[in-house]
Amino acid sequence: MKDLNKARVIYSAIGALLVIFLLLLSYTRIFDVFEHNTLDLRYKLRPLQKVDKNIVIIEISDDSIEKLGEWPFPRNYHALLIKALNSAGAKAIIFDVFFSEKREGDEDFSKALKEADNVYTPYVFDLDFANPDKRIFHAKGYMAKLIEGLKGKAKGSGFINVVPDPDGKIRRVPAFVEYNSSIYPHLTVLVSLNYLGYSFQDINPVPGKELVVEEDFVIPLLSDSTILVNYPGQWGKSFRHYSFIDVIQSYLAEITGQEPEIDLSQFKDAVCFIGFTATASPDAHPSPLEPIYPGVGVHASIFNSMASKSFLHRMNKWWNMAILLFVCSITGFITFRVKKRFSFASIVIIMAAYLAMAFVFFWPFGIWVDLFYPLTIIPVIYIICMFKKYVDETQKRELLEKELDIAKDIQQSFLPSDVSKVGNLDIHAEMVTAHQVGGDLYDVVKFDDNRIGVMIGDVSGKGVPAALYMARVVSDFKIFSKSNSASGTLKNINEELIEGNSSGLFVTVAFMEIDTSINKLTFSIGGHLPVLVVGPEGNVELLDVEEGLPLGMMESNFLEKTYEYKPGSIIVLYTDGVTEAMNVNNEMFGMDRLVELVKSLKGCSAKEVTALVQKEVAKYAGKAPQHDDITVVAIRT
């Protein structure tokens, strides 16, 4: 008991350490490089999301560069674009274009910015990734700063930094950056807040958690204060797209009274994002949806998310750990409780259900639940639990083997230990069980100097139940055999077995009394196979009776016969494990083959007879498994 309790303590300690280790792996999120791939799959499988009809993307694409010349353009073209959009009634104009160096047309552009009062300009921070404060991004300075002539002219300015994940894909952007102890907003965050009637100064940023605009308007943030980009769909399928040069030419056409290529009234109340999308654009990055996705589309996606208040948010580490613990518990419970043939299918169902749950959470609720790590852990827990079950079953099997070895020794004690010489008879018995213990039995009793009794039996069934029943039969035989005739012995044993028999087992028995003074044997058979007698000349006779059911089934009469044998004869008793032994082709050894075999053994000793019968049966069976006990008793007169 102490060893058992010690083992339980050890297993419990190992299990607790394993759980802590698995939870720590979840908390540290060291598998995020793989988790991001599962997030991308969720992006791709969900349908196209609703897009604000007022969002417009104006592309500085190959056609614009071809018509206007080498990039960057003179900035009076940007001024002209502002006038074109404002004349059409645009609500906001956002440039995803750097203005960090002086260019031709800066004065016109500066004037257009000031007059429009709805234009937003960008700059780029030099982010300090080595800063120990991981709840918020810090800047060391500017990487692309707005030129002096444009500062303060636009309605607002903000940074446009994005943060690629290790695989280069853009899934998040900083909501704000700290620089010189001040907080600066991302350009699109600023635009979105202004569009909705708020200013950045009015919000309450909680680093690593959220941006609180109002009680019912909270923008969820990741642990590093970044916003997950809620891409509504692929680049060409999400937003309205127009060419930079087409907008300008349509505006000029209207002024000169010509037919414009674009109806500029489409830009009424529009929020226009202007960005570079030409071939080999440095502002294109891989996204969860496509290998190349322009940066201006990232900003448009963020704006669409904020305008519709449809955010993506990742479930925090503690909730993910709780879900992981629950999934591990369910996996372990099912593995231990469900039958082996169903356990693997159950685990597959759990994985499929968790996968479906993760997709349902993502769409339509926008919740990112960790998927890769739990789906990896489920089969790991399954394997660990199956290994534990295997160890437990092995230990139980080893214990059972030891108990069966003891049971085999006990069973052997019921059988005669030495039957080699009884009077002038040469007797030998050999039993090979199919399992550690079996249901075959035999016994030899001495009545006087001239008379002995020999019994052989075969209990229905195998294993421990048959062995226990066999012990009972042997005990009853020892009681009734010395005071009754052969048939009377079987009758009394049968009555004893019938009384209180709830096991459903029965036994076939052949019993004979041999009187060596007159060379006569008296036999009775209860459902057993005929006894073989091999005469000195090699002729074989089968001794059987017409009536006699197996013992333990119902009341029955048992006939008794006598037979005079010649000295030098061999009497062979056997169980059906001999005649019903099968080879790999499922063919039985059979009675005919046994008769031919014992006929050839007329000059052998009793020991040689049993050994040769067992050998021939084993040779015939070959690699086929032994399915029944095999017992042979030979008597040489």
Side-chain angles (χ1 to χ4, degrees):
M1 182 64 71
K2 289 182 178 179
D3 291 339
L4 183 60
N5 290 336
K6 184 178 179 181
R8 286 179 178 174
V9 170
I10 292 174
Y11 279 128
S12 298
I14 292 174
L17 290 174
L18 177 62
V19 170
I20 292 171
F21 175 72
L22 295 177
L23 292 177
L24 282 175
L25 290 180
S26 174
Y27 184 81
T28 55
R29 289 179 169 169
I30 64 174
F31 297 107
D32 265 5
V33 65
F34 304 107
E35 179 63 32
H36 288 150
N37 291 329
T38 70
L39 176 64
D40 296 350
L41 182 63
R42 281 171 268 190
Y43 271 115
K44 292 174 181 176
L45 292 181
R46 72 174 180 173
L48 184 68
Q49 300 298 288
K50 184 178 180 181
V51 174
D52 191 312
K53 64 180 182 179
N54 291 326
I55 298 176
V56 171
I57 292 180
I58 299 176
E59 301 184 48
I60 303 174
S61 53
D62 290 331
D63 68 322
S64 297
I65 296 175
E66 183 180 343
K67 293 178 180 179
L68 296 177
E70 189 175 335
W71 174 261
F73 304 146
R75 290 191 178 134
N76 49 0
Y77 284 109
H78 296 306
L80 196 57
L81 178 67
I82 292 172
K83 292 178 181 179
L85 294 174
N86 277 326
S87 69
K91 191 167 186 178
I93 302 169
I94 305 98
F95 279 94
D96 183 27
V97 178
F98 302 154
F99 304 113
S100 55
E101 296 179 357
K102 291 184 178 182
R103 296 287 178 187
E104 179 185 347
D106 280 345
E107 291 183 3
D108 290 342
F109 185 46
S110 176
K111 184 179 179 181
L113 290 176
K114 189 172 182 179
E115 291 177 352
D117 195 33
N118 65 345
V119 182
Y120 295 82
T121 54
Y123 53 85
V124 181
F125 276 126
D126 181 11
L127 299 179
D128 181 10
F129 292 99
N131 193 290
D133 183 7
K134 301 303 179 183
R135 298 175 307 127
I136 182 173
F137 279 91
H138 296 260
K140 296 182 289 186
Y142 290 94
M143 186 175 291
K145 190 176 182 181
L146 198 65
I147 61 173
E148 291 297 329
L150 300 181
K151 283 185 178 180
K153 301 299 191 294
K155 181 176 182 178
S157 292
F159 67 88
I160 55 172
N161 296 71
V162 294
V163 182
D165 284 317
D167 58 2
K169 294 182 181 179
I170 302 300
R171 301 182 180 89
R172 58 200 173 103
V173 299
F176 47 85
V177 167
E178 183 177 330
Y179 176 57
N180 288 340
S181 301
S182 297
I183 299 296
Y184 294 82
H186 189 280
L187 178 63
T188 313
V189 172
L190 177 64
V191 172
S192 303
L193 290 172
N194 292 168
Y195 179 80
L196 296 171
Y198 305 99
S199 69
F200 186 72
Q201 287 71 28
D202 296 333
I203 69 170
N204 177 28
V206 183
K209 187 177 181 181
E210 59 195 12
L211 280 175
V212 181
V213 182
E214 286 185 344
E215 186 176 343
D216 60 344
F217 184 13
V218 177
I219 302 168
L221 304 178
L222 297 178
S223 59
D224 57 359
S225 296
T226 53
I227 298 175
L228 275 171
V229 182
N230 190 6
Y231 293 98
Q234 293 182 337
W235 169 248
K237 299 178 181 179
S238 304
F239 307 104
R240 290 190 286 157
H241 296 255
Y242 297 92
S243 167
F244 182 95
I245 186 62
D246 288 347
V247 175
I248 292 176
Q249 288 180 337
S250 297
Y251 175 64
L252 295 175
E254 284 188 350
I255 293 175
T256 58
Q258 300 178 32
E259 185 69 25
E261 186 173 343
I262 299 173
D263 180 6
L264 296 182
S265 64
Q266 297 177 80
F267 294 104
K268 181 174 177 55
D269 295 326
V271 178
C272 305
F273 289 87
I274 301 105
F276 192 78
T277 63
T279 305
S281 168
D283 193 32
H285 309 273
S287 77
L289 295 168
E290 297 172 89
I292 298 296
Y293 195 92
V296 66
V298 175
H299 306 306
S301 297
I302 295 171
F303 179 86
N304 182 66
S305 176
M306 292 189 66
S308 60
K309 298 182 182 179
S310 57
F311 302 104
L312 298 181
H313 50 99
R314 187 174 190 179
M315 191 167 285
N316 68 46
K317 296 178 179 181
W318 297 105
W319 273 109
N320 272 312
M321 289 168 63
I323 291 173
L324 180 67
L325 188 61
F326 175 76
V327 169
C328 289
S329 300
I330 290 294
T331 302
F333 177 81
I334 288 178
T335 304
F336 280 120
R337 296 291 181 180
V338 176
K339 293 181 179 179
K340 281 184 179 179
R341 62 178 178 271
F342 300 126
S343 59
F344 181 75
S346 300
I347 299 307
V348 172
I349 291 172
I350 290 175
M351 294 178 69
Y354 187 83
L355 184 66
M357 181 272 294
F359 277 99
V360 169
F361 269 50
F362 189 75
W363 180 77
F365 301 112
I367 301 173
W368 172 13
V369 181
D370 284 359
L371 185 58
F372 173 81
Y373 186 55
L375 286 184
T376 304
I377 287 300
I378 289 173
V380 170
I381 295 297
Y382 170 73
I383 292 171
I384 291 173
C385 291
M386 289 300 293
F387 178 75
K388 175 64 169 57
K389 286 181 71 175
Y390 170 78
V391 171
D392 289 346
E393 289 176 1
T394 300
Q395 290 175 341
K396 290 178 182 177
R397 192 178 298 112
E398 289 175 352
L399 180 60
L400 181 60
E401 293 284 346
K402 291 179 181 179
E403 293 176 348
L404 288 175
D405 287 340
I406 295 172
K408 184 174 184 179
D409 292 338
I410 295 173
Q411 183 185 25
Q412 290 295 327
S413 70
F414 283 92
L415 304 177
S417 58
D418 184 13
V419 295
S420 58
K421 288 291 182 181
V422 180
N424 63 349
L425 299 176
D426 174 20
I427 304 176
H428 191 267
E430 188 167 340
M431 181 168 66
V432 179
T433 58
H435 305 286
Q436 285 95 330
V437 292
D440 281 5
L441 60 145
Y442 63 89
D443 203 356
V444 178
V445 293
K446 186 176 181 180
F447 300 126
D448 54 43
D449 292 340
N450 297 320
R451 291 189 312 120
I452 66 166
V454 181
M455 180 269 292
I456 190 169
D458 183 3
V459 178
S460 62
K462 301 174 184 65
V464 174
L468 294 174
Y469 199 79
M470 162 263 178
R472 181 183 178 186
V473 174
V474 171
S475 298
D476 290 343
F477 173 75
K478 291 184 182 296
I479 294 172
F480 296 113
S481 61
K482 294 185 179 181
S483 59
N484 288 282
S485 63
S487 59
T489 298
L490 297 191
K491 186 175 185 350
N492 288 337
I493 295 174
N494 182 48
E495 291 174 352
E496 189 70 20
L497 293 176
I498 290 173
E499 185 177 350
N501 182 15
S502 60
S503 64
L505 296 176
F506 59 86
V507 60
T508 63
V509 177
F511 173 50
M512 65 175 59
E513 295 180 5
I514 303 175
D515 189 339
T516 59
S517 63
I518 57 176
N519 296 335
K520 185 177 76 171
L521 61 86
T522 303
F523 64 93
S524 184
I525 297 177
H528 202 75
L529 296 168
V531 177
L532 299 180
V533 179
V534 184
E537 301 83 9
N539 58 305
V540 179
E541 292 189 59
L542 277 66
L543 306 184
D544 202 356
V545 295
E546 292 78 15
E547 185 178 354
L549 294 175
L551 282 61
M553 295 178 63
M554 62 180 66
E555 292 186 2
S556 173
N557 292 319
F558 298 91
L559 294 181
E560 183 177 287
K561 288 187 177 182
T562 60
Y563 176 80
E564 293 185 10
Y565 62 85
K566 295 179 181 180
S569 297
I570 299 173
I571 303 170
V572 182
L573 297 88
Y574 54 94
T575 59
D576 59 8
V578 175
T579 55
E580 294 180 5
M582 291 190 178
N583 60 16
V584 292
N585 297 320
N586 290 327
E587 298 169 339
M588 290 187 181
F589 188 80
M591 178 64 77
D592 292 341
R593 190 173 277 103
L594 177 60
V595 169
E596 290 301 317
L597 173 60
V598 298
K599 188 185 295 185
S600 66
L601 304 177
K602 61 182 180 179
C604 296
S605 66
K607 185 174 183 179
E608 289 172 335
V609 171
T610 58
L612 287 169
V613 171
Q614 293 281 10
K615 180 180 178 181
E616 286 300 316
V617 171
K619 182 179 178 182
Y620 179 81
K623 295 183 179 180
Q626 180 183 342
H627 71 280
D628 200 359
D629 305 327
I630 300 173
T631 302
V632 181
V633 179
I635 307 164
R636 184 171 179 79
T637 60

